[in-house]
Amino acid sequence: MPVDKILVIGSEGQIGTVLSHALRQIHGIAHVVTSDINPPRNSVIGYFEKLNILDGAKLHEIVKKHKITQIYHLAALLSAKGEQNPRQTWDVNMNGLFNVLEVARQEKIDKVFFPSSIAVFGGLSSKINTPQHGILQPQTMYGITKEVGEHLAEYYFNKFGLDVRSIRYPGLISYQSLPGGGTTDYAVDIFHKAVKNEDFSCFLKKDTYLPMMYMPDAIRATIELMQAPVENLSMHYGYNIHAMRFSPEQLLAEIHKYLPEFQVSYQPDYRQDIAASWVESMDDSAARTDWGWQERFDLAAMCKDMISNLQKIKHNGASEYDEKMFL
Ligand code: NAD
Ligand code: SER
């Protein structure tokens, strides 16, 4: 039976760190190649290739060298960082994806994963239980690149039969690595400050509701979508998936159950406008029907697990962080 050989692009980021580990557990260390524009944060497990995704020739060389059969393309600039440099965001997010799809088409890659986002919504999109096929009016360059990316993914499937699969992730919360420039990052940073007994200044208003998901659910969703039989999939652009909806104020109330002394102040900045343009919850019935999506973590379960893991990391010290974070 042919063996899957996987390339993760953007492996050193918030999702890539955890996803690469999960993929190694499923497919074996020798079958997962990680790559990023930045060097690995931890001691390298398996193969790592330094890659700027804008270098299509180098990407092609890596795919051929390792006989890659599946690509998880995570490299991107996120919403908040993206608004600081819209042109670079267009370049990395669009031309990077285009390079991946072209190499995948030429090398007859079996499957490509491309993450989309709640950022595709905005403007007249309905805010609650937002439909899968509703209005997309992204208000950020990041959201625009995700919407166009979804169209490109579908185009490559329809025109070339390239099996591209995609999820519109909500804001993701994890303890293993710090996020890199998103608007939902407050919901990760707040835990780090709480566990370190430091005050936290929140860049969103306390009543700003956003859809969120705990990383284990996001990783499982990604793997379950990639393992689903292609005939079960009704779309090759971003599936809505939903797990929980909360505001900074509600998150703080949950954290206070464990750390009652923790102090938060609110100093909304330009990220408030980005958050206000996004939706609060999504209708994910297509994902549930097509490939059995089902969340496991709600706000209470996520907070309990986050605080417990960050306290273990704090207790074990920084040197234990990288080694033990996945155990
Ligand atoms: P991140 O910023 O933490 O990681 C992105 C990684 O891409 C980084 O390691 C960075 O070094 C790398 N990268 C940036 N430019 C590159 C380039 N030119 N070439 C190669 N690598 C490059 O982001 P993340 O949170 O891990 O997100 C991964 C993907 O998931 C992105 O496409 C993002 O849009 C999407 N997503 C994330 C969230 C979330 O809440 N984290 C939500 C929705 C969608
Ligand atoms: N979490 C991401 C961000 O805030 C949404 O895609 O940019």
Side-chain angles (χ1 to χ4, degrees):
M1 206 172 112
V3 177
D4 293 326
K5 196 81 191 284
I6 291 165
L7 175 64
V8 182
I9 303 166
S11 61
E12 302 313 299
Q14 189 196 6
I15 301 176
T17 315
V18 190
L19 181 64
S20 301
H21 176 76
L23 291 170
R24 284 191 199 103
Q25 286 194 318
I26 295 169
H27 298 276
I29 289 173
H31 296 114
V32 178
V33 179
T34 53
S35 70
D36 203 286
I37 196 167
N38 286 316
R41 286 184 323 127
N42 307 325
S43 48
V44 178
I45 309 164
Y47 299 102
F48 177 84
E49 297 276 3
K50 199 159 189 302
L51 170 71
N52 181 344
I53 194 54
L54 297 178
D55 185 347
K58 176 89 189 281
L59 170 66
H60 207 146
E61 191 187 303
I62 292 169
V63 165
K64 285 176 88 154
K65 174 178 156 193
H66 293 281
K67 299 186 172 51
I68 296 298
T69 64
Q70 292 186 19
I71 299 177
Y72 289 74
H73 172 47
L74 308 175
L77 300 188
L78 276 75
S79 60
K81 209 167 169 183
E83 287 311 282
Q84 287 162 358
N85 196 338
R87 192 185 175 104
Q88 190 194 7
T89 303
W90 174 268
D91 197 24
V92 172
N93 295 10
M94 289 316 336
N95 293 326
L97 175 62
F98 197 74
N99 284 343
V100 170
L101 295 174
E102 265 305 285
V103 169
R105 176 183 72 78
Q106 288 166 26
E107 292 303 319
K108 300 191 172 25
I109 293 292
D110 293 340
K111 290 178 207 170
V112 175
F113 178 76
F114 155 68
S116 186
S117 161
I118 50 169
V120 295
F121 298 115
L124 295 174
S125 303
S126 50
K127 292 272 186 190
I128 302 285
N129 211 24
T130 309
Q132 176 71 51
H133 303 292
I135 295 169
L136 305 182
Q137 277 190 320
Q139 305 293 303
T140 58
M141 181 55 84
Y142 171 71
I144 290 168
T145 65
K146 290 297 181 186
E147 184 187 347
V148 180
E150 287 197 18
H151 294 311
L152 261 184
E154 201 188 14
Y155 175 83
Y156 268 75
F157 177 74
N158 290 333
K159 184 145 180 106
F160 304 116
L162 180 65
D163 186 357
V164 191
R165 303 181 180 198
S166 181
I167 284 174
R168 290 173 183 158
Y169 290 130
L172 301 183
I173 298 165
S174 62
Y175 61 88
Q176 294 93 335
S177 58
L178 291 169
T183 301
T184 56
D185 293 3
Y186 91 85
V188 181
D189 296 340
I190 193 172
F191 283 101
H192 287 265
K193 289 283 192 301
V195 169
K196 284 194 274 182
N197 302 321
E198 291 174 15
D199 294 350
F200 179 64
S201 166
C202 181
F203 55 73
L204 297 185
K205 289 184 192 164
K206 63 183 176 181
D207 58 353
T208 309
Y209 286 84
L210 287 170
M212 299 280 188
M213 183 174 289
Y214 196 33
M215 192 61 88
D217 272 345
I219 298 299
R220 193 172 43 77
T222 307
I223 289 167
E224 286 174 1
L225 171 63
M226 288 296 269
Q227 289 176 342
V230 67
E231 58 275 14
N232 290 6
L233 305 182
S234 56
M235 66 192 86
H236 286 266
Y237 50 93
Y239 273 95
N240 283 1
I241 57 169
H242 186 74
M244 61 185 101
R245 161 190 178 270
F246 60 77
S247 63
E249 186 175 43
Q250 287 178 320
L251 178 57
L252 177 61
E254 199 59 38
I255 293 173
H256 272 161
K257 290 181 186 168
Y258 303 88
L259 301 159
E261 309 296 319
F262 180 48
Q263 297 287 327
V264 172
S265 59
Y266 296 91
Q267 269 126 12
D269 63 18
Y270 71 101
R271 290 168 281 193
Q272 175 62 37
D273 290 339
I274 299 176
S277 76
W278 290 351
V279 299
E280 298 181 17
S281 63
M282 285 177 277
D283 174 1
D284 56 4
S285 45
R288 289 175 196 267
T289 304
D290 290 2
W291 45 278
W293 158 244
Q294 173 72 63
E295 77 281 12
R296 291 186 186 157
F297 286 86
D298 60 10
L299 175 60
M302 179 272 289
C303 279
K304 186 168 182 236
D305 202 64
M306 274 295 283
I307 291 172
S308 153
N309 277 296
L310 285 174
Q311 282 176 330
K312 270 188 227 157
I313 290 165
K314 186 181 169 193
H315 178 73
N316 292 337
S319 63
E320 299 279 291
Y321 182 94
D322 292 339
E323 297 300 317
K324 299 242 169 95
M325 65 187 178
F326 297 112
L327 301 178

